[in-house]
Amino acid sequence: MDLPLLRRLTTGEGWGLLQSLPPYDESRALGLQQRLRDAGFEPDLVAAALNQARLRARATAKFGEFAQGMLFTSDGLEQATRLNVAAQHAQRFRAADIHTVHDLGCGIGADAMAMAGLDLRVRAVDADEVTAAIAGVNLRHWPESSAQQGLAEEFTPPAGEGARGVGAWLDPARRTPGVADVSGRTRRLFRLDEMSPSWDTVQALARDLPATGAKLSPAFPHAALPTGAEAQWTSVDGEVVECAVWFGPLARTPGRTAVLLHEGASPVHVTEHDGDSTAPTLVNLADVGPWLYEPDRAVLRAGLVPALTAATDGAELDTGVGYVGSFRSVDVPYARRYAVVEAMPFNVKALRGWLRDHGIDRLTIKKRGVSIDADLLRRQLRLPAKGHTEAVIVLTRVRSNQVVLVVRPS
């Protein structure tokens, strides 16, 4: 969609058409498209409106009912911050007494909307003029905020008294230009030196305008975190969605932190202060204990397993695997607990015999820190095709040796 078509879609006849469309149904899209054309609507306008209806349906998972009043691009929707995560970002700026935020690389405006919703004045820019225009449409309910085409690298931060109460938010592009697959999605980038604006540019801006935050990949390397800044990994219902780096007054707890978001529940925060610098590890498999804990992925990404070993008086099964064995049964809001039914060195024949002897004919396989092919293992175990007695097994390591634990959710 180009800029002239976007303007037609968001004014007069085009906007009326878009708002009148029924909930998107792929099976009826072609028929609806033909009926709209027969009614006299221009084919390109019909196609643009139906594409927006399709994207709005997909966007409901991220934006709920707000999606029906927003505009999207395919890449913009995929990269957009979820509504509840954007609210967390906005609250950081509000709590730091920031009144104006420069959103540099705003995409479709998800974070800008959350900030404007907390009465922050947003000055948003995006390198792509159509995307910037879409962000402007999405910001239409907040006349004090705006979006326009521009480059983050060209932003000149205010100085002196002009910088008081002013912050910056960056969401560097982490995709290659051009189309990479049949759905129109472009290839993801994970290295800091590949994103745009660069990590060096982000840090330089933070030096000039301390109240700066940046949304980065969950693969952000721990060693790249500047002194005094906070890197916070965020998970939503167990899925890690980002690592945000916060500078200056926006850094609540310098170092590595994690926040877990679940629908209808208060956020759960974990920091380096919740544990020692390193997690103890098991000496041998016999010491695993009757309980196994699996940390949330945000906790794992943030390297905060020591918080879990401290909370459970347990030990990590092996360095880097994340699983923690313990002799204590405790409720930990950032980890899942399992009862250990059996623990043994990994051996296909021995595992097959154990499962057969205990009548197990359905299996859930979890693994971390081992190169075992779960599908191949399932075939090797030769379980009945339609079983009813299920077990959960964990394939991992203890002192570099592959082990299997049969566990039960507790």
Side-chain angles (χ1 to χ4, degrees), residues 367-401:
K367 69 187 187 88
R368 187 175 299 142
V370 294
S371 57
I372 299 169
D373 186 316
D375 292 332
L376 175 60
L377 174 62
R378 199 180 293 276
R379 292 193 297 270
Q380 292 173 330
L381 293 175
R382 300 196 291 270
L383 298 176
K386 294 182 179 179
H388 301 285
T389 306
E390 183 175 8
V392 178
I393 65 170
V394 176
L395 306 172
T396 187
R397 303 188 316 262
V398 172
R399 295 188 70 81
S400 300
N401 296 310

PDB file of all heavy atoms in Angstrom, residues 367-401:
ATOM      1  N   LYS A 367      13.224 -30.990  26.726  1.00  0.00           N
ATOM      2  CA  LYS A 367      14.675 -31.170  26.722  1.00  0.00           C
ATOM      3  C   LYS A 367      15.368 -29.810  26.718  1.00  0.00           C
ATOM      4  O   LYS A 367      14.848 -28.824  26.207  1.00  0.00           O
ATOM      5  CB  LYS A 367      15.131 -31.999  25.517  1.00  0.00           C
ATOM      6  CG  LYS A 367      14.995 -31.334  24.165  1.00  0.00           C
ATOM      7  CD  LYS A 367      15.318 -32.331  23.063  1.00  0.00           C
ATOM      8  CE  LYS A 367      15.367 -31.656  21.685  1.00  0.00           C
ATOM      9  NZ  LYS A 367      16.680 -31.121  21.342  1.00  0.00           N
ATOM     10  N   ARG A 368      16.551 -29.800  27.331  1.00  0.00           N
ATOM     11  CA  ARG A 368      17.386 -28.598  27.337  1.00  0.00           C
ATOM     12  C   ARG A 368      18.822 -29.019  27.620  1.00  0.00           C
ATOM     13  O   ARG A 368      19.087 -29.806  28.521  1.00  0.00           O
ATOM     14  CB  ARG A 368      16.908 -27.588  28.375  1.00  0.00           C
ATOM     15  CG  ARG A 368      17.635 -26.243  28.295  1.00  0.00           C
ATOM     16  CD  ARG A 368      17.048 -25.242  29.248  1.00  0.00           C
ATOM     17  NE  ARG A 368      15.654 -24.987  28.946  1.00  0.00           N
ATOM     18  CZ  ARG A 368      14.714 -24.808  29.868  1.00  0.00           C
ATOM     19  NH1 ARG A 368      15.028 -24.917  31.148  1.00  0.00           N
ATOM     20  NH2 ARG A 368      13.479 -24.574  29.520  1.00  0.00           N
ATOM     21  N   GLY A 369      19.722 -28.504  26.796  1.00  0.00           N
ATOM     22  CA  GLY A 369      21.134 -28.764  27.014  1.00  0.00           C
ATOM     23  C   GLY A 369      21.635 -30.062  26.434  1.00  0.00           C
ATOM     24  O   GLY A 369      22.762 -30.471  26.722  1.00  0.00           O
ATOM     25  N   VAL A 370      20.811 -30.731  25.624  1.00  0.00           N
ATOM     26  CA  VAL A 370      21.223 -31.983  24.980  1.00  0.00           C
ATOM     27  C   VAL A 370      20.827 -31.919  23.511  1.00  0.00           C
ATOM     28  O   VAL A 370      19.921 -31.175  23.127  1.00  0.00           O
ATOM     29  CB  VAL A 370      20.577 -33.217  25.647  1.00  0.00           C
ATOM     30  CG1 VAL A 370      21.085 -33.405  27.065  1.00  0.00           C
ATOM     31  CG2 VAL A 370      19.054 -33.107  25.624  1.00  0.00           C
ATOM     32  N   SER A 371      21.493 -32.722  22.694  1.00  0.00           N
ATOM     33  CA  SER A 371      21.233 -32.709  21.256  1.00  0.00           C
ATOM     34  C   SER A 371      20.357 -33.871  20.811  1.00  0.00           C
ATOM     35  O   SER A 371      20.314 -34.209  19.634  1.00  0.00           O
ATOM     36  CB  SER A 371      22.558 -32.746  20.480  1.00  0.00           C
ATOM     37  OG  SER A 371      23.314 -33.883  20.844  1.00  0.00           O
ATOM     38  N   ILE A 372      19.645 -34.468  21.721  1.00  0.00           N
ATOM     39  CA  ILE A 372      18.798 -35.614  21.414  1.00  0.00           C
ATOM     40  C   ILE A 372      17.633 -35.166  20.531  1.00  0.00           C
ATOM     41  O   ILE A 372      16.988 -34.147  20.797  1.00  0.00           O
ATOM     42  CB  ILE A 372      18.265 -36.253  22.708  1.00  0.00           C
ATOM     43  CG1 ILE A 372      19.433 -36.749  23.568  1.00  0.00           C
ATOM     44  CG2 ILE A 372      17.296 -37.385  22.406  1.00  0.00           C
ATOM     45  CD1 ILE A 372      19.034 -37.158  24.965  1.00  0.00           C
ATOM     46  N   ASP A 373      17.363 -35.915  19.474  1.00  0.00           N
ATOM     47  CA  ASP A 373      16.239 -35.647  18.581  1.00  0.00           C
ATOM     48  C   ASP A 373      14.977 -36.250  19.200  1.00  0.00           C
ATOM     49  O   ASP A 373      14.843 -37.478  19.299  1.00  0.00           O
ATOM     50  CB  ASP A 373      16.503 -36.260  17.204  1.00  0.00           C
ATOM     51  CG  ASP A 373      15.434 -35.904  16.188  1.00  0.00           C
ATOM     52  OD1 ASP A 373      14.244 -35.959  16.529  1.00  0.00           O
ATOM     53  OD2 ASP A 373      15.800 -35.571  15.036  1.00  0.00           O
ATOM     54  N   ALA A 374      14.055 -35.380  19.623  1.00  0.00           N
ATOM     55  CA  ALA A 374      12.865 -35.859  20.330  1.00  0.00           C
ATOM     56  C   ALA A 374      11.999 -36.749  19.440  1.00  0.00           C
ATOM     57  O   ALA A 374      11.434 -37.755  19.906  1.00  0.00           O
ATOM     58  CB  ALA A 374      12.060 -34.681  20.847  1.00  0.00           C
ATOM     59  N   ASP A 375      11.866 -36.408  18.151  1.00  0.00           N
ATOM     60  CA  ASP A 375      11.035 -37.223  17.251  1.00  0.00           C
ATOM     61  C   ASP A 375      11.654 -38.606  17.032  1.00  0.00           C
ATOM     62  O   ASP A 375      10.936 -39.618  17.015  1.00  0.00           O
ATOM     63  CB  ASP A 375      10.860 -36.503  15.911  1.00  0.00           C
ATOM     64  CG  ASP A 375      10.016 -35.249  16.037  1.00  0.00           C
ATOM     65  OD1 ASP A 375       9.163 -35.212  16.944  1.00  0.00           O
ATOM     66  OD2 ASP A 375      10.210 -34.316  15.250  1.00  0.00           O
ATOM     67  N   LEU A 376      12.974 -38.630  16.873  1.00  0.00           N
ATOM     68  CA  LEU A 376      13.649 -39.913  16.711  1.00  0.00           C
ATOM     69  C   LEU A 376      13.505 -40.761  17.971  1.00  0.00           C
ATOM     70  O   LEU A 376      13.240 -41.963  17.903  1.00  0.00           O
ATOM     71  CB  LEU A 376      15.122 -39.689  16.389  1.00  0.00           C
ATOM     72  CG  LEU A 376      16.000 -40.947  16.308  1.00  0.00           C
ATOM     73  CD1 LEU A 376      15.487 -41.893  15.223  1.00  0.00           C
ATOM     74  CD2 LEU A 376      17.462 -40.576  16.073  1.00  0.00           C
ATOM     75  N   LEU A 377      13.667 -40.132  19.124  1.00  0.00           N
ATOM     76  CA  LEU A 377      13.530 -40.858  20.391  1.00  0.00           C
ATOM     77  C   LEU A 377      12.130 -41.444  20.526  1.00  0.00           C
ATOM     78  O   LEU A 377      11.969 -42.597  20.953  1.00  0.00           O
ATOM     79  CB  LEU A 377      13.840 -39.931  21.563  1.00  0.00           C
ATOM     80  CG  LEU A 377      13.601 -40.530  22.951  1.00  0.00           C
ATOM     81  CD1 LEU A 377      14.508 -41.733  23.186  1.00  0.00           C
ATOM     82  CD2 LEU A 377      13.816 -39.473  24.034  1.00  0.00           C
ATOM     83  N   ARG A 378      11.136 -40.665  20.149  1.00  0.00           N
ATOM     84  CA  ARG A 378       9.764 -41.150  20.259  1.00  0.00           C
ATOM     85  C   ARG A 378       9.568 -42.422  19.417  1.00  0.00           C
ATOM     86  O   ARG A 378       8.902 -43.362  19.843  1.00  0.00           O
ATOM     87  CB  ARG A 378       8.806 -40.044  19.812  1.00  0.00           C
ATOM     88  CG  ARG A 378       7.371 -40.214  20.287  1.00  0.00           C
ATOM     89  CD  ARG A 378       6.514 -39.067  19.797  1.00  0.00           C
ATOM     90  NE  ARG A 378       6.888 -37.808  20.417  1.00  0.00           N
ATOM     91  CZ  ARG A 378       6.445 -37.402  21.594  1.00  0.00           C
ATOM     92  NH1 ARG A 378       5.632 -38.179  22.301  1.00  0.00           N
ATOM     93  NH2 ARG A 378       6.814 -36.231  22.087  1.00  0.00           N
ATOM     94  N   ARG A 379      10.174 -42.434  18.225  1.00  0.00           N
ATOM     95  CA  ARG A 379      10.076 -43.627  17.377  1.00  0.00           C
ATOM     96  C   ARG A 379      10.838 -44.798  18.005  1.00  0.00           C
ATOM     97  O   ARG A 379      10.379 -45.952  17.970  1.00  0.00           O
ATOM     98  CB  ARG A 379      10.610 -43.325  15.982  1.00  0.00           C
ATOM     99  CG  ARG A 379       9.752 -42.342  15.186  1.00  0.00           C
ATOM    100  CD  ARG A 379      10.133 -42.318  13.720  1.00  0.00           C
ATOM    101  NE  ARG A 379      11.493 -41.858  13.499  1.00  0.00           N
ATOM    102  CZ  ARG A 379      11.826 -40.583  13.312  1.00  0.00           C
ATOM    103  NH1 ARG A 379      10.879 -39.636  13.347  1.00  0.00           N
ATOM    104  NH2 ARG A 379      13.086 -40.239  13.103  1.00  0.00           N
ATOM    105  N   GLN A 380      12.007 -44.517  18.578  1.00  0.00           N
ATOM    106  CA  GLN A 380      12.813 -45.577  19.181  1.00  0.00           C
ATOM    107  C   GLN A 380      12.124 -46.204  20.399  1.00  0.00           C
ATOM    108  O   GLN A 380      12.318 -47.386  20.693  1.00  0.00           O
ATOM    109  CB  GLN A 380      14.176 -45.019  19.589  1.00  0.00           C
ATOM    110  CG  GLN A 380      15.069 -44.635  18.409  1.00  0.00           C
ATOM    111  CD  GLN A 380      16.328 -43.923  18.858  1.00  0.00           C
ATOM    112  OE1 GLN A 380      16.347 -43.228  19.883  1.00  0.00           O
ATOM    113  NE2 GLN A 380      17.404 -44.091  18.094  1.00  0.00           N
ATOM    114  N   LEU A 381      11.324 -45.413  21.103  1.00  0.00           N
ATOM    115  CA  LEU A 381      10.643 -45.925  22.297  1.00  0.00           C
ATOM    116  C   LEU A 381       9.465 -46.824  21.941  1.00  0.00           C
ATOM    117  O   LEU A 381       8.979 -47.589  22.797  1.00  0.00           O
ATOM    118  CB  LEU A 381      10.171 -44.757  23.175  1.00  0.00           C
ATOM    119  CG  LEU A 381      11.291 -43.924  23.811  1.00  0.00           C
ATOM    120  CD1 LEU A 381      10.720 -42.727  24.548  1.00  0.00           C
ATOM    121  CD2 LEU A 381      12.136 -44.780  24.745  1.00  0.00           C
ATOM    122  N   ARG A 382       8.965 -46.720  20.711  1.00  0.00           N
ATOM    123  CA  ARG A 382       7.916 -47.597  20.192  1.00  0.00           C
ATOM    124  C   ARG A 382       6.686 -47.653  21.107  1.00  0.00           C
ATOM    125  O   ARG A 382       6.190 -48.741  21.469  1.00  0.00           O
ATOM    126  CB  ARG A 382       8.467 -49.011  19.944  1.00  0.00           C
ATOM    127  CG  ARG A 382       9.609 -49.057  18.938  1.00  0.00           C
ATOM    128  CD  ARG A 382       9.855 -50.484  18.436  1.00  0.00           C
ATOM    129  NE  ARG A 382      10.412 -51.349  19.475  1.00  0.00           N
ATOM    130  CZ  ARG A 382      11.711 -51.505  19.707  1.00  0.00           C
ATOM    131  NH1 ARG A 382      12.597 -50.827  18.979  1.00  0.00           N
ATOM    132  NH2 ARG A 382      12.151 -52.324  20.637  1.00  0.00           N
ATOM    133  N   LEU A 383       6.196 -46.482  21.464  1.00  0.00           N
ATOM    134  CA  LEU A 383       4.990 -46.421  22.283  1.00  0.00           C
ATOM    135  C   LEU A 383       3.766 -46.706  21.425  1.00  0.00           C
ATOM    136  O   LEU A 383       3.780 -46.476  20.214  1.00  0.00           O
ATOM    137  CB  LEU A 383       4.853 -45.035  22.918  1.00  0.00           C
ATOM    138  CG  LEU A 383       5.961 -44.617  23.876  1.00  0.00           C
ATOM    139  CD1 LEU A 383       5.747 -43.191  24.337  1.00  0.00           C
ATOM    140  CD2 LEU A 383       6.031 -45.559  25.070  1.00  0.00           C
ATOM    141  N   PRO A 384       2.684 -47.211  22.026  1.00  0.00           N
ATOM    142  CA  PRO A 384       1.451 -47.447  21.261  1.00  0.00           C
ATOM    143  C   PRO A 384       0.964 -46.157  20.598  1.00  0.00           C
ATOM    144  O   PRO A 384       1.166 -45.053  21.122  1.00  0.00           O
ATOM    145  CB  PRO A 384       0.464 -47.936  22.327  1.00  0.00           C
ATOM    146  CG  PRO A 384       1.329 -48.509  23.400  1.00  0.00           C
ATOM    147  CD  PRO A 384       2.571 -47.663  23.414  1.00  0.00           C
ATOM    148  N   ALA A 385       0.340 -46.298  19.437  1.00  0.00           N
ATOM    149  CA  ALA A 385      -0.081 -45.116  18.667  1.00  0.00           C
ATOM    150  C   ALA A 385      -1.128 -44.292  19.404  1.00  0.00           C
ATOM    151  O   ALA A 385      -1.132 -43.067  19.323  1.00  0.00           O
ATOM    152  CB  ALA A 385      -0.619 -45.558  17.308  1.00  0.00           C
ATOM    153  N   LYS A 386      -2.042 -44.953  20.092  1.00  0.00           N
ATOM    154  CA  LYS A 386      -3.106 -44.226  20.785  1.00  0.00           C
ATOM    155  C   LYS A 386      -3.100 -44.627  22.250  1.00  0.00           C
ATOM    156  O   LYS A 386      -3.799 -45.556  22.666  1.00  0.00           O
ATOM    157  CB  LYS A 386      -4.464 -44.521  20.154  1.00  0.00           C
ATOM    158  CG  LYS A 386      -4.593 -44.003  18.723  1.00  0.00           C
ATOM    159  CD  LYS A 386      -5.981 -44.271  18.158  1.00  0.00           C
ATOM    160  CE  LYS A 386      -6.108 -43.726  16.740  1.00  0.00           C
ATOM    161  NZ  LYS A 386      -7.447 -43.986  16.164  1.00  0.00           N
ATOM    162  N   GLY A 387      -2.318 -43.909  23.028  1.00  0.00           N
ATOM    163  CA  GLY A 387      -2.213 -44.242  24.435  1.00  0.00           C
ATOM    164  C   GLY A 387      -3.110 -43.383  25.302  1.00  0.00           C
ATOM    165  O   GLY A 387      -3.678 -42.387  24.863  1.00  0.00           O
ATOM    166  N   HIS A 388      -3.247 -43.765  26.559  1.00  0.00           N
ATOM    167  CA  HIS A 388      -4.092 -43.033  27.493  1.00  0.00           C
ATOM    168  C   HIS A 388      -3.376 -42.720  28.800  1.00  0.00           C
ATOM    169  O   HIS A 388      -3.843 -41.899  29.576  1.00  0.00           O
ATOM    170  CB  HIS A 388      -5.368 -43.820  27.783  1.00  0.00           C
ATOM    171  CG  HIS A 388      -6.189 -44.123  26.570  1.00  0.00           C
ATOM    172  ND1 HIS A 388      -6.951 -43.172  25.927  1.00  0.00           N
ATOM    173  CD2 HIS A 388      -6.328 -45.258  25.847  1.00  0.00           C
ATOM    174  CE1 HIS A 388      -7.552 -43.714  24.886  1.00  0.00           C
ATOM    175  NE2 HIS A 388      -7.185 -44.989  24.807  1.00  0.00           N
ATOM    176  N   THR A 389      -2.252 -43.387  29.075  1.00  0.00           N
ATOM    177  CA  THR A 389      -1.502 -43.147  30.302  1.00  0.00           C
ATOM    178  C   THR A 389      -0.265 -42.328  29.958  1.00  0.00           C
ATOM    179  O   THR A 389       0.640 -42.804  29.288  1.00  0.00           O
ATOM    180  CB  THR A 389      -1.084 -44.472  30.961  1.00  0.00           C
ATOM    181  OG1 THR A 389      -2.245 -45.284  31.159  1.00  0.00           O
ATOM    182  CG2 THR A 389      -0.400 -44.205  32.294  1.00  0.00           C
ATOM    183  N   GLU A 390      -0.249 -41.070  30.405  1.00  0.00           N
ATOM    184  CA  GLU A 390       0.780 -40.144  29.962  1.00  0.00           C
ATOM    185  C   GLU A 390       1.859 -39.939  31.014  1.00  0.00           C
ATOM    186  O   GLU A 390       1.597 -40.022  32.222  1.00  0.00           O
ATOM    187  CB  GLU A 390       0.156 -38.786  29.617  1.00  0.00           C
ATOM    188  CG  GLU A 390       1.154 -37.775  29.060  1.00  0.00           C
ATOM    189  CD  GLU A 390       0.492 -36.486  28.623  1.00  0.00           C
ATOM    190  OE1 GLU A 390      -0.706 -36.315  28.884  1.00  0.00           O
ATOM    191  OE2 GLU A 390       1.188 -35.652  28.016  1.00  0.00           O
ATOM    192  N   ALA A 391       3.069 -39.678  30.537  1.00  0.00           N
ATOM    193  CA  ALA A 391       4.172 -39.291  31.411  1.00  0.00           C
ATOM    194  C   ALA A 391       4.903 -38.121  30.761  1.00  0.00           C
ATOM    195  O   ALA A 391       4.826 -37.901  29.549  1.00  0.00           O
ATOM    196  CB  ALA A 391       5.130 -40.456  31.628  1.00  0.00           C
ATOM    197  N   VAL A 392       5.604 -37.366  31.599  1.00  0.00           N
ATOM    198  CA  VAL A 392       6.448 -36.271  31.126  1.00  0.00           C
ATOM    199  C   VAL A 392       7.886 -36.647  31.427  1.00  0.00           C
ATOM    200  O   VAL A 392       8.203 -37.039  32.561  1.00  0.00           O
ATOM    201  CB  VAL A 392       6.095 -34.943  31.822  1.00  0.00           C
ATOM    202  CG1 VAL A 392       7.019 -33.829  31.342  1.00  0.00           C
ATOM    203  CG2 VAL A 392       4.641 -34.576  31.581  1.00  0.00           C
ATOM    204  N   ILE A 393       8.749 -36.581  30.415  1.00  0.00           N
ATOM    205  CA  ILE A 393      10.168 -36.828  30.660  1.00  0.00           C
ATOM    206  C   ILE A 393      10.971 -35.585  30.321  1.00  0.00           C
ATOM    207  O   ILE A 393      10.627 -34.817  29.411  1.00  0.00           O
ATOM    208  CB  ILE A 393      10.698 -38.049  29.865  1.00  0.00           C
ATOM    209  CG1 ILE A 393      10.644 -37.792  28.351  1.00  0.00           C
ATOM    210  CG2 ILE A 393       9.943 -39.303  30.237  1.00  0.00           C
ATOM    211  CD1 ILE A 393      11.368 -38.862  27.543  1.00  0.00           C
ATOM    212  N   VAL A 394      12.037 -35.370  31.072  1.00  0.00           N
ATOM    213  CA  VAL A 394      12.935 -34.242  30.869  1.00  0.00           C
ATOM    214  C   VAL A 394      14.301 -34.790  30.483  1.00  0.00           C
ATOM    215  O   VAL A 394      14.899 -35.570  31.239  1.00  0.00           O
ATOM    216  CB  VAL A 394      13.042 -33.379  32.142  1.00  0.00           C
ATOM    217  CG1 VAL A 394      14.074 -32.261  31.951  1.00  0.00           C
ATOM    218  CG2 VAL A 394      11.679 -32.795  32.504  1.00  0.00           C
ATOM    219  N   LEU A 395      14.772 -34.412  29.329  1.00  0.00           N
ATOM    220  CA  LEU A 395      16.098 -34.817  28.856  1.00  0.00           C
ATOM    221  C   LEU A 395      17.050 -33.650  29.057  1.00  0.00           C
ATOM    222  O   LEU A 395      16.842 -32.558  28.531  1.00  0.00           O
ATOM    223  CB  LEU A 395      16.048 -35.178  27.370  1.00  0.00           C
ATOM    224  CG  LEU A 395      15.002 -36.221  26.957  1.00  0.00           C
ATOM    225  CD1 LEU A 395      14.936 -36.330  25.445  1.00  0.00           C
ATOM    226  CD2 LEU A 395      15.322 -37.561  27.578  1.00  0.00           C
ATOM    227  N   THR A 396      18.102 -33.866  29.856  1.00  0.00           N
ATOM    228  CA  THR A 396      19.013 -32.772  30.154  1.00  0.00           C
ATOM    229  C   THR A 396      20.371 -33.360  30.558  1.00  0.00           C
ATOM    230  O   THR A 396      20.691 -34.495  30.200  1.00  0.00           O
ATOM    231  CB  THR A 396      18.416 -31.852  31.243  1.00  0.00           C
ATOM    232  OG1 THR A 396      19.251 -30.708  31.411  1.00  0.00           O
ATOM    233  CG2 THR A 396      18.194 -32.571  32.552  1.00  0.00           C
ATOM    234  N   ARG A 397      21.159 -32.563  31.319  1.00  0.00           N
ATOM    235  CA  ARG A 397      22.504 -33.009  31.713  1.00  0.00           C
ATOM    236  C   ARG A 397      22.705 -32.861  33.216  1.00  0.00           C
ATOM    237  O   ARG A 397      22.137 -31.973  33.856  1.00  0.00           O
ATOM    238  CB  ARG A 397      23.591 -32.145  31.048  1.00  0.00           C
ATOM    239  CG  ARG A 397      23.581 -32.065  29.557  1.00  0.00           C
ATOM    240  CD  ARG A 397      24.848 -31.326  29.079  1.00  0.00           C
ATOM    241  NE  ARG A 397      25.154 -30.132  29.856  1.00  0.00           N
ATOM    242  CZ  ARG A 397      24.829 -28.895  29.494  1.00  0.00           C
ATOM    243  NH1 ARG A 397      24.151 -28.673  28.378  1.00  0.00           N
ATOM    244  NH2 ARG A 397      25.165 -27.864  30.261  1.00  0.00           N
ATOM    245  N   VAL A 398      23.555 -33.725  33.739  1.00  0.00           N
ATOM    246  CA  VAL A 398      24.113 -33.586  35.089  1.00  0.00           C
ATOM    247  C   VAL A 398      25.606 -33.857  34.966  1.00  0.00           C
ATOM    248  O   VAL A 398      25.999 -34.944  34.510  1.00  0.00           O
ATOM    249  CB  VAL A 398      23.459 -34.555  36.089  1.00  0.00           C
ATOM    250  CG1 VAL A 398      24.201 -34.516  37.425  1.00  0.00           C
ATOM    251  CG2 VAL A 398      21.988 -34.205  36.298  1.00  0.00           C
ATOM    252  N   ARG A 399      26.412 -32.859  35.311  1.00  0.00           N
ATOM    253  CA  ARG A 399      27.869 -32.954  35.177  1.00  0.00           C
ATOM    254  C   ARG A 399      28.270 -33.444  33.778  1.00  0.00           C
ATOM    255  O   ARG A 399      29.072 -34.363  33.615  1.00  0.00           O
ATOM    256  CB  ARG A 399      28.460 -33.848  36.257  1.00  0.00           C
ATOM    257  CG  ARG A 399      28.281 -33.297  37.664  1.00  0.00           C
ATOM    258  CD  ARG A 399      29.033 -34.094  38.705  1.00  0.00           C
ATOM    259  NE  ARG A 399      30.487 -33.926  38.585  1.00  0.00           N
ATOM    260  CZ  ARG A 399      31.180 -32.890  39.073  1.00  0.00           C
ATOM    261  NH1 ARG A 399      30.543 -31.899  39.702  1.00  0.00           N
ATOM    262  NH2 ARG A 399      32.495 -32.837  38.923  1.00  0.00           N
ATOM    263  N   SER A 400      27.654 -32.826  32.787  1.00  0.00           N
ATOM    264  CA  SER A 400      27.930 -33.065  31.358  1.00  0.00           C
ATOM    265  C   SER A 400      27.459 -34.413  30.861  1.00  0.00           C
ATOM    266  O   SER A 400      27.692 -34.766  29.698  1.00  0.00           O
ATOM    267  CB  SER A 400      29.431 -32.901  31.053  1.00  0.00           C
ATOM    268  OG  SER A 400      29.875 -31.594  31.377  1.00  0.00           O
ATOM    269  N   ASN A 401      26.799 -35.203  31.710  1.00  0.00           N
ATOM    270  CA  ASN A 401      26.279 -36.499  31.292  1.00  0.00           C
ATOM    271  C   ASN A 401      24.784 -36.399  30.997  1.00  0.00           C
ATOM    272  O   ASN A 401      24.034 -35.787  31.768  1.00  0.00           O
ATOM    273  CB  ASN A 401      26.503 -37.542  32.390  1.00  0.00           C
ATOM    274  CG  ASN A 401      27.978 -37.783  32.654  1.00  0.00           C
ATOM    275  OD1 ASN A 401      28.752 -38.009  31.718  1.00  0.00           O
ATOM    276  ND2 ASN A 401      28.374 -37.741  33.924  1.00  0.00           N
TER     277      ASN A 401
END
